[in-house]
Amino acid sequence: MRSLILLFLLSVIEARAQIQLEPIEISDVTPPSAFSERSGSWPSYEVQQDELIPGTRPISDSLNTIPGLQGRDQGSPTLSIRGSGQADRVLKLYEGIPLNFGDGLGASNLFIPEETIGSLRLLKGPSSVFYGPSAMAGALDHRSRLFERKALRLSVSDDSGLLGRRSVFLATPFKPDSQLTLFAENAPGRFAYDSPLSGGRRESNSLETLRTTFNAKYDLGTTSVRPLLLLARQTGETPGALNFPSSSKFRLHGTLAGIESKTQLDQSNKISFLFSDLRFWRSDEDSFGSSSYTNARTRLAADWGTRLFNDIELKTFTDLKTETLAATYLGDSKFTENSAELGQSADVPLTDSLALQPAYRYLADTGTFVKALGLHHSTDRSVSWLTYSEGFRAPSLSDRFANFPNFRANPSLKPETSRGLELGSRFEQGRRYGGFLEGILIGGTVHATEFDQLFESAP
């Protein structure tokens, strides 16, 4: 009986240990990102750095506390905003670089270094006007924290009673506002166990992740340059069914390279460029053989902002993208897609506290216009807004050609569209009495979102 009780306790215990040889200090410096510049005063939700607990829980746990959001990192990673469901309907970004490919499977978590993410910025509702088709239901930008001192973190976590997850994280900052990080994690998975149906063993699932990031900042006169690099590799295995115990093994490789430059031309004009190259490679091996596919995408984003008469700010932005997919099932052929998008937004002050923000984006490959209109009122303590926005998402490669048990491909699918209307207000009273009372924060939103022509899955 005691053995049974001990076994039960071992199966439910959760233990974590963390050693930091240097205190982690975070400098509040905005990393390279064009996320907020295009959207201007458009309302967004920001998860601050102290709300994220690195090394102890996934980011999705923090996102699940936000009304209207549902996140999942295990299985098929996805993020749903206000019932959007499919992973590719929400655009994920890392330091302002979009991570969604044209395959329709959404962004790979391989490009999101949770170990060094410091804050998140979220736009709820259709955001295709600012960020393109994959932002049909919203957009989420992941921003790195910048360390002021060298830091080493060793952690062990166990949520299965088997001493499962072990990780090492090293951050090496250098001036100006630059750093190099290294991350290694091994999760051996659950022990193998007997499979009575097959008379054999069902192998365990294991996962090993290696990742390094580099970002820096250089000021060259009136121009600031920010290079960014991410290299990642992940290997693991997926256990078979009880009646088919052999497991399949997979290997993932990802590279992300980007460089952003911002130049203040004069008091009224500024221009920025963000070039990114994103590559993802996956290989699978099982008892039936091996397969692989490779995604590669290059993107050039250019933004020009100018101040007109009566303090009107006009922003013009363009995105040029080229994507190539090569896969075993395609043979020697490759899937290539080029797209060009042009948009404009304006901040028009009506009074000292009230502003109007109209915006549009033109998608050249489909000949589609998406529009947005926002009315924003702000004071020292409160912000109120009324917004209308549209979303657009063309059928992806998997939507048109991939068949699944609960989804049948259709090459003739029409694009998905969305429209969102939101009324919101937020009031904040600052800290008082030397920080003993944290003040008051009151806010609320009323929204209505309509999706049309959604591609559905059936049980």
Side-chain angles (χ1 to χ4, degrees), residues 138-158:
L140 178 67
D141 191 17
H142 301 74
R143 298 178 170 184
S144 294
R145 63 181 69 219
L146 294 178
F147 295 86
E148 293 182 342
R149 300 180 183 179
K150 294 182 180 180
L152 173 65
R153 183 173 68 240
L154 309 175
S155 64
V156 177
S157 62
D158 185 14

Side-chain angles (χ1 to χ4, degrees), residues 425-453:
S425 181
R426 184 166 57 236
F427 172 83
E428 182 173 4
Q429 171 67 52
R431 296 183 179 184
R432 302 175 63 188
Y433 307 118
F436 177 73
L437 296 178
E438 295 296 329
I440 300 174
L441 175 61
I442 301 174
T445 59
V446 178
H447 66 90
T449 304
E450 182 181 23
F451 296 98
D452 288 334
Q453 303 291 341

Side-chain angles (χ1 to χ4, degrees), residues 82-395:
R82 295 172 176 172
S84 62
Q86 188 167 319
D88 194 45
R89 295 184 185 128
V90 175
L91 177 65
K92 288 187 178 182
L93 306 99
Y94 173 58
E95 304 285 28
I97 297 176
L99 304 177
N100 295 44
F101 285 106
D103 53 15
L105 303 179
S108 170
N109 284 347
L110 196 65
F111 297 105
I112 302 175
E114 293 198 8
E115 64 276 3
T116 186
I117 295 299
S119 63
L120 310 171
R121 174 164 289 181
L122 169 72
L123 287 183
K124 294 182 182 179
S127 307
S128 292
V129 171
F130 302 115
Y131 310 114
S134 290
M136 175 185 169
L140 178 67
D141 191 17
H142 301 74
R143 298 178 170 184
S144 294
R145 63 181 69 219
L146 294 178
F147 295 86
E148 293 182 342
R149 300 180 183 179
K150 294 182 180 180
L152 173 65
R153 183 173 68 240
L154 309 175
S155 64
V156 177
S157 62
D158 185 14
D159 56 4
S160 62
L162 302 173
L163 198 60
R165 190 176 296 271
R166 305 178 293 272
S167 66
V168 178
F169 173 69
L170 171 67
T172 304
F174 54 93
K175 297 297 182 181
D177 302 327
S178 309
Q179 70 181 18
L180 174 70
T181 68
L182 299 172
F183 175 75
E185 183 176 68
N186 180 271
R190 298 182 180 274
F191 290 163
Y193 57 90
D194 289 327
S195 172
L197 298 179
S198 64
R201 304 280 291 180
R202 187 187 189 203
E203 299 182 34
S204 72
N205 57 311
S206 63
L207 190 66
E208 182 179 280
T209 305
L210 298 174
R211 183 161 43 217
T212 182
T213 68
F214 166 79
N215 53 34
K217 177 185 176 182
Y218 303 100
D219 292 323
L220 306 173
T222 59
T223 301
S224 65
V225 179
R226 293 180 179 267
L228 175 69
L229 180 65
L230 182 149
L231 305 174
R233 187 190 72 181
Q234 193 172 77
T235 58
E237 58 183 24
T238 304
L242 288 174
N243 58 350
F244 193 76
S246 64
S247 62
S248 61
K249 298 182 180 180
F250 63 88
R251 288 180 293 169
L252 309 178
H253 293 268
T255 63
L256 184 154
I259 184 167
E260 182 187 44
S261 68
K262 294 183 179 181
T263 303
Q264 188 71 41
L265 301 176
D266 51 43
Q267 293 183 349
S268 302
N269 294 273
K270 60 182 179 180
I271 190 170
S272 66
F273 297 93
L274 177 58
F275 175 81
S276 62
D277 183 87
L278 193 66
R279 298 177 184 271
F280 178 75
W281 178 78
R282 179 181 179 115
S283 175
D284 292 272
E285 297 180 5
D286 54 30
S287 58
F288 299 101
S290 62
S291 62
S292 65
Y293 69 88
T294 304
N295 265 339
R297 189 189 67 211
T298 58
R299 174 179 175 266
L300 175 63
D303 293 63
W304 174 44
T306 182
R307 184 178 293 274
L308 305 176
F309 56 91
N310 296 330
D311 291 331
I312 297 176
E313 291 189 12
L314 179 66
K315 303 171 186 177
T316 302
F317 43 88
T318 182
D319 291 319
L320 305 176
K321 294 179 285 186
T322 298
E323 182 171 339
T324 302
L325 184 144
T328 305
Y329 56 83
L330 293 177
D332 295 332
S333 62
K334 293 183 179 180
F335 171 78
T336 302
E337 186 176 54
N338 300 312
S339 63
E341 300 168 11
L342 174 69
Q344 284 187 319
S345 67
D347 288 325
V348 183
L350 303 179
T351 66
D352 292 340
S353 58
L354 186 65
L356 184 69
Q357 186 179 11
Y360 77 92
R361 176 184 284 250
Y362 175 69
L363 294 81
D365 53 339
T366 59
T368 304
F369 276 95
V370 286
K371 303 171 291 296
L373 182 64
L375 186 64
H376 312 278
H377 181 271
S378 61
T379 64
D380 293 339
R381 298 181 180 180
S382 66
V383 178
S384 301
W385 62 88
L386 174 63
T387 61
Y388 168 80
S389 57
E390 297 178 350
F392 177 89
R393 178 179 176 270

